[in-house]
Amino acid sequence: MGVQIVETGLRDGHQSLFATRMTTEEVLLALKELDQAGYRALEVWGGATFDSCLRFLNEDPWERLRQVRKVCKHTKLQMLFRGQNILGYRHYADDVVEKFVEKSIKNGIDIIRIFDALNDIRNLECAVKATKKYGGECQIALSYTTSPVHTVSYYVELAKEVEKLGADSLCIKDMAGVLTPMAAYELISALKKNTKLPIELHSHCTGGLCEMTYLKAIEAGVDIVDCAISPLSGGTSQPCTESLNFALKGTEYDPKLNADMLNAAANKLAPVKQKYLNNGLLNPKVLSVNANIVKYQVPGGMLSNLINQLKQQGASDKLEDVLKEVPNVRKDLGYPPLVTPLSQMVGTQAVLNVISGERYKMVPKEINDYLHGRYGKSPAPVDEEIRKKIIGDDEVITYRPADDLKPEFQELKKQYKDVAKSDEDVLSIALFGDVALKFLKQRNEDAKPTKIKVEA
Ligand code: CO
């Protein structure tokens, strides 16, 4: 069998290029064609997609999923799931994690891609168990980064644990696009040798490496790669589906996607891209190569956040200093991969260290929690001197952080019984609090039959 392709345009594509603003109507535009193209799966749902529906689009994310499912009769649907963080930014109790998995599958998801920012396996366990329980296909993704501890053997050991945990496949998630072609060849070869799991590669074109990296990974035997349909590809997004399909045509790696269907889908989505270029949400800057992300090893989204943070503080001239401070903060914290929420945390700390003129004089609550062990185990030990400076002699937890959390679901269901019309609504509230409540109240209001004024 040739290489399989997962289409990420409807999740990562618009998330990377224009802040996840595609509406359900736009998502549905080319779905019939994509469904008939022969993909392994379409990734259509994840944290930012869910958040953006409620926060910016006044849409029910669950309703989007059901509509997508209705159209997709041939292709599996995939979602991205942040382990114990689900689709949010903190750890949730196990009962919420389990309920979310159950409802995602019931509403149409086939494959759940589960990852943890720190690659702490304990933070994946609950979601993995639930996925299996409700009949979903479980993929575990390992966050890829470079550091003295993130060696090939580090990933091989993790892959063995992932296999033991019962995952159906393994993904290397290179959110920053810093995986080089030769490193990919070495990594994928080693993983193929040491695990039976199908291996998938997810990377970004941000640094200009991705197409080369995919090709070397394919030569090394990678089973699946993530691509995006042309209007939603390139720049900070994934490589173009049609191009890779064409590049491999007639070889042993031929993905055998239906080129006519891809073309028809691209034609329908091209005006969507143009709309976001015209309204300014798609900045042409993100479509060109940013070699700095390879140099500094920071994801594109984090780089633009740092630029904004400094601009707001009138310290744009400090960017170079901050970018040099990022690797120092990472080292102090035990080399966390720079993915949500760690990318924001490390970035903010680097900015504070530079602007305040003294390292760790100001420390955000999240970094404080991290040093208490509340995010899980850091890849390498944290710098004890810095930990002491920040949290003194406080206890550092070594157990799974969610073990401290009491069940939340039934309590929330009772508390919001007037607003939440379904368990799905309760889950939206559990994850996005006020943002979800505001949306749901408005939705309920709009659904009321219009009162007819009786004329006297
Ligand atoms: Co991505």
Side-chain angles (χ1 to χ4, degrees), residues 105-221:
I105 293 171
K106 288 224 167 107
N107 282 282
I109 290 292
D110 301 287
I111 308 172
I112 305 192
R113 172 180 289 175
I114 306 164
F115 80 101
D116 175 60
L118 295 172
N119 294 324
D120 185 336
I121 296 287
R122 301 169 306 169
N123 291 336
L124 307 172
E125 279 164 3
C126 179
V128 169
K129 243 185 251 164
T131 304
K132 309 231 90 169
K133 178 173 168 188
Y134 292 102
E137 194 176 324
C138 169
Q139 178 176 81
I140 291 181
L142 298 175
S143 312
Y144 179 80
T145 188
T146 52
S147 88
V149 286
H150 290 89
T151 58
V152 168
S153 61
Y154 165 92
Y155 285 106
V156 165
E157 287 316 306
L158 273 176
K160 288 178 185 165
E161 280 186 62
V162 162
E163 192 166 2
K164 250 189 262 160
L165 206 59
D168 298 300
S169 61
L170 170 75
C171 175
I172 295 295
K173 180 178 161 63
D174 174 25
M175 52 281 165
V178 295
L179 179 60
T180 62
M182 303 308 167
Y185 189 88
E186 198 191 348
L187 177 61
I188 301 296
S189 302
L191 290 172
K192 288 302 290 180
K193 221 175 278 165
N194 288 285
T195 156
K196 287 189 199 65
L197 294 177
I199 310 287
E200 178 157 354
L201 180 58
H202 175 93
S203 184
H204 288 254
C205 301
T206 324
L209 296 168
C210 201
E211 287 88 347
M212 294 182 272
T213 302
Y214 274 14
L215 194 58
K216 290 307 283 184
I218 288 166
E219 284 179 357

Side-chain angles (χ1 to χ4, degrees), residues 11-12 16 43 80 173-175 202-204 236 238:
R11 203 280 298 169
D12 212 352
S16 296
E43 189 170 275
L80 183 61
K173 180 178 161 63
D174 174 25
M175 52 281 165
H202 175 93
S203 184
H204 288 254
T236 44
Q238 270 80 53

Side-chain angles (χ1 to χ4, degrees), residues 238-417:
Q238 270 80 53
C240 171
T241 309
E242 300 98 296
S243 310
L244 192 76
N245 189 48
F246 194 71
L248 302 175
K249 200 177 157 73
T251 71
E252 59 181 300
Y253 309 115
D254 197 338
K256 298 205 170 115
L257 294 188
N258 183 323
D260 293 335
M261 285 297 162
L262 294 181
N263 192 35
N267 284 339
K268 288 193 170 175
L269 289 169
V272 174
K273 177 186 188 174
Q274 193 56 47
K275 170 187 148 183
Y276 289 99
L277 271 170
N278 292 348
N279 72 12
L281 264 170
L282 172 49
N283 183 339
K285 251 192 190 165
V286 306
L287 292 171
S288 49
V289 171
N290 184 344
N292 276 339
I293 69 107
V294 184
K295 182 176 169 198
Y296 296 114
Q297 306 275 300
V298 298
M302 181 176 168
L303 192 62
S304 47
N305 274 343
L306 290 176
I307 293 169
N308 280 339
Q309 260 176 299
L310 288 171
K311 203 166 156 192
Q312 278 167 16
Q313 314 215 20
S316 293
D317 57 320
K318 295 277 197 293
L319 181 62
E320 195 71 22
D321 294 337
V322 169
L323 287 170
K324 280 185 190 135
E325 176 64 359
V326 167
N328 299 332
V329 173
R330 266 191 85 208
K331 183 168 183 246
D332 296 339
L333 298 181
Y335 298 108
L338 297 176
V339 61
T340 304
L342 264 305
S343 44
Q344 292 86 342
M345 288 158 60
V346 169
T348 303
Q349 188 63 62
V351 168
L352 290 172
N353 285 359
V354 167
I355 287 190
S356 71
E358 184 192 327
R359 305 190 72 226
Y360 303 104
K361 186 175 162 191
M362 283 150 80
V363 176
K365 182 185 175 294
E366 289 80 8
I367 293 283
N368 196 294
D369 282 343
Y370 176 90
L371 291 168
H372 281 90
R374 290 179 195 136
Y375 282 83
K377 192 169 180 286
S378 55
V382 308
D383 186 306
E384 279 308 326
E385 214 170 290
I386 282 158
R387 168 140 58 197
K388 196 139 196 189
K389 172 170 177 173
I390 298 166
I391 70 164
D393 291 324
D394 283 9
E395 190 203 350
V396 178
I397 66 165
T398 52
Y399 50 83
R400 191 184 69 117
D403 287 345
D404 272 340
L405 302 173
K406 283 201 245 11
E408 300 173 77
F409 188 80
Q410 293 305 333
E411 197 56 44
L412 282 169
K413 191 169 172 169
K414 221 189 297 163
Q415 188 180 347
Y416 293 107
K417 63 179 189 316

